[in-house]
Every structure is written in C-alpha cells, then in structure tokens.
Amino acid sequence: MKATDKYRQIFGSIDHLKQYIPWTTGLSNMVEFIAWTPQSILGITKSQYQRQIIEWATMPEMRGKSSEQIEAIIKKKLQHQMEATEQLQTYSKKTTGICSVREALRRVKFFSEDYLNKEFDIFLSLCSDKYLDVFYSQFVDITKGYAWATHGNSGIFECSTKLKAMFMDNLAYNHDATILVANELKLNGKKNPDQILKYSFMYHYLVEKQFIHSDAGFLLLFIGSQPMQINQEEMVEKELAYCQKNPIKYANLLTEDIISIANNLTIASITWQEFIAFNESYLADNELCQVERKLLAGFNHSLQSKSFMYG
C-alpha cells in the first residue's frame, strides 16, 4: 500500500476544496509539522542528532566503560550543549545546535514561519464567513454571504489531491462565490523566485482534478513583514527568466496554460501590521460574539509577539 493510501485510510481525505475541515485538524497539523521536522524540537536534524550520539559513544575514552557509564557521559554532554545554546531573552538571536525544550519553544513561537503557518491555519478555520468576506473584499470583488472552507498545507491536502512538492501555506475557497485565495505567509522572507508560477500550476492542477470550480477566480495574497511592490507583468517575466535557466527542472511551469494563469490571476499584498490594524478595525466596527472577539484579539496578540515586530 502506498504512503498516501495509508494516510487516507487512517486520517480520511477530501475530494473537493469546498469540503469543510474542522479547526481541530489544525492541531493535528501542528503535530504533523513537529513529527516531520524534529529539528524544531531537537535543535538539529534527526540524522545529525543520531550521528552526534554515535560519535560520542564511540570516542576512544568510552572503551571499556559499561553502557550505563556511557549513557551518563552522553547525558552530561547533551546537557552542556543545551546550556550553551539556550537564550534567556525573548528576542535574542536565534541560535543553532541541540537545544532544551524551552529554547525549542522560543525558536518556533517567535521565529518560525512554519509555526506561524499552523497558527494561521487554526485562526482562518475559526473565522466567520463574514470576516473572510470583508477581509478578502479589500483585494477582489466577492459575492458575499456564501460559505468558506480553508485548507492548510497538510497530509490531508497532499494525500487527497496527490499534489506533491507544492508547499502552499493556506488556501481559502468559496465554491458558490467561485473564488480561490492562496495565502502566502512571510515573516522576514521574500517571495520565492518561482512562486507565482508554482501557484499557477497548483490552480491549474486543482481545476483539472475537479477540486475547484473551473471558472473560479484566483487571488494570490502575500502577507509579510514588509510592503511588496506589485508589478505583475514584471514579476512574471522575472520568474519565467529564472525558470528558463533550467527548462528541464521547471518544464511543468513553462507551459502556455500556466503562464496564462500567472498573467491573469490577481496578486495582492498586505503587511502583518496592516493585518493587525484590519482586525482591530473589524473588532471596533462589528457586533461580534465573544468567541470571535477572543479569536481576533488572541491572534493579534500572537502576531505582535513575533520577532519580526522587533526588527
């Protein structure tokens, strides 16, 4: 049985992006992120960690010692490394190397874009349809009043669509309003050199596999710490030039269909500061239930604690 089939058999799947994904799935996606990237907890990759233990265990001075003695020595070495990499200020420069649980949490909570993506998944899945209507109406015309479904970059998305190597951050899809939004989240990072073409390929694939409406509009929204100057023609031309340097590797991005989508989708951007301000305005201007008020205020609080807010 293939890995994707095993995943679908255990965790289920979707056959259309209009299907609702419970917000609790965002928690399992967080666990999935940690399981696939153990360096977020160990401080180094699993293979690096294994090699380090083997190196220590096979040092000449370990000869003749019992397994209990070797274990005690390695524990001391691990403790020494964890003490050496730990930072005691919230926004101290992010270190590398084996770390303690406390330091691991500091790194992901305040510095990790992947962690932010998972927080955003949960946030967006809990937002009301009205909130999403108003938020996305800043960038595109939307027929309001229909239901939104949101999808994070997870095993459920990959194994259901069988779309591999598409590291999207989060999708919001409104089937009745016929609009797909790709939310591309950045902390201090810049747009990838092939990102518009890759999202265009994703859109084409989802239409072809009937996961979205064939006439769905497409908004690619960048949310980051710095404003982005949008010149779509120039941006697409630069991406094409980049991919044409390696036409075999990027053959699937250089077709007429993909280029046409890239030229005709809507690209927009908003900074995290502007996003926070929008939430504050939405809180002030709307009668909201207590749950949604806590949701918006809580996510703003988390964003304001990120390292990019402090230079």
Side-chain angles (χ1 to χ4, degrees), residues 2-250:
K2 294 181 179 179
T4 54
D5 295 329
K6 291 178 182 178
Y7 192 103
R8 290 158 62 98
Q9 180 170 303
I10 296 170
F11 301 110
S13 62
I14 58 172
D15 53 26
H16 201 284
L17 289 199
K18 67 182 179 183
Q19 290 175 247
Y20 172 73
I21 299 292
W23 71 268
T24 50
T25 301
L27 299 176
S28 63
N29 290 347
M30 184 74 79
V31 175
E32 191 172 51
F33 151 63
I34 292 170
W36 278 108
T37 56
Q39 62 265 37
S40 62
I41 298 301
L42 298 175
I44 57 177
T45 67
K46 188 166 66 173
S47 59
Q48 288 174 325
Y49 193 84
Q50 290 169 339
R51 284 197 295 269
Q52 181 63 85
I53 300 299
I54 292 170
E55 180 183 323
W56 283 337
T58 56
M59 292 188 300
E61 55 264 39
M62 294 294 193
R63 291 173 186 167
K65 296 187 182 297
S66 68
S67 57
E68 289 81 7
Q69 289 173 317
I70 294 173
E71 182 180 355
I73 293 171
I74 291 177
K75 280 184 177 180
K76 285 184 179 180
K77 289 182 176 293
L78 285 171
Q79 185 62 37
H80 176 73
Q81 286 219 357
M82 288 189 287
E83 289 173 355
T85 58
E86 184 168 26
Q87 300 294 316
L88 298 179
Q89 299 299 319
T90 303
Y91 303 107
S92 295
K93 185 177 179 180
K94 191 173 71 167
T95 59
T96 57
I98 297 171
C99 65
S100 66
V101 172
R102 185 169 48 250
E103 174 61 13
L105 180 60
R106 188 186 76 90
R107 294 179 189 182
V108 296
K109 183 175 177 63
F110 302 116
F111 293 90
S112 171
E113 191 173 291
D114 288 326
Y115 185 86
L116 170 63
N117 290 345
K118 302 312 176 188
E119 286 185 315
F120 193 81
D121 289 349
I122 297 171
F123 168 76
L124 216 63
S125 67
L126 288 171
C127 287
S128 66
D129 292 332
K130 178 184 175 182
Y131 172 90
L132 295 178
D133 282 346
V134 176
F135 178 66
Y136 290 129
S137 290
Q138 299 175 100
F139 314 106
V140 290
D141 291 330
I142 293 175
T143 304
K144 299 179 177 63
Y146 295 116
W148 289 88
T150 64
H151 303 270
N153 186 13
S154 65
I156 288 179
F157 178 82
E158 181 178 326
C159 295
S160 296
T161 62
K162 298 183 180 178
L163 179 59
K164 297 183 178 180
M166 180 60 219
F167 301 110
M168 60 83 174
D169 289 338
N170 181 281
L171 302 179
Y173 179 62
N174 192 319
H175 185 66
D176 293 312
T178 60
I179 180 75
L180 174 69
V181 180
N183 303 289
E184 178 60 29
L185 314 184
K186 302 291 185 184
L187 287 182
N188 291 313
K190 297 180 179 180
K191 180 188 78 65
N192 296 343
D194 58 355
Q195 204 146 45
I196 298 171
L197 291 173
K198 277 191 173 179
Y199 272 107
S200 299
F201 177 83
M202 179 201 71
Y203 175 89
H204 183 269
Y205 180 94
L206 293 174
V207 168
E208 188 177 60
K209 299 300 181 181
Q210 300 183 339
F211 273 85
I212 61 174
H213 196 285
S214 59
D215 294 327
F218 186 26
L219 167 64
L220 174 54
L221 178 62
F222 290 91
I223 311 178
S225 57
Q226 299 297 326
M228 176 184 288
Q229 298 300 317
I230 305 295
N231 182 327
Q232 187 159 343
E233 182 178 354
E234 181 180 319
M235 293 167 77
V236 173
E237 286 298 323
K238 283 184 177 179
E239 292 205 3
L240 288 171
Y242 173 82
C243 293
Q244 285 164 350
K245 292 178 182 178
N246 194 339
I248 296 176
K249 178 180 179 180
Y250 295 107

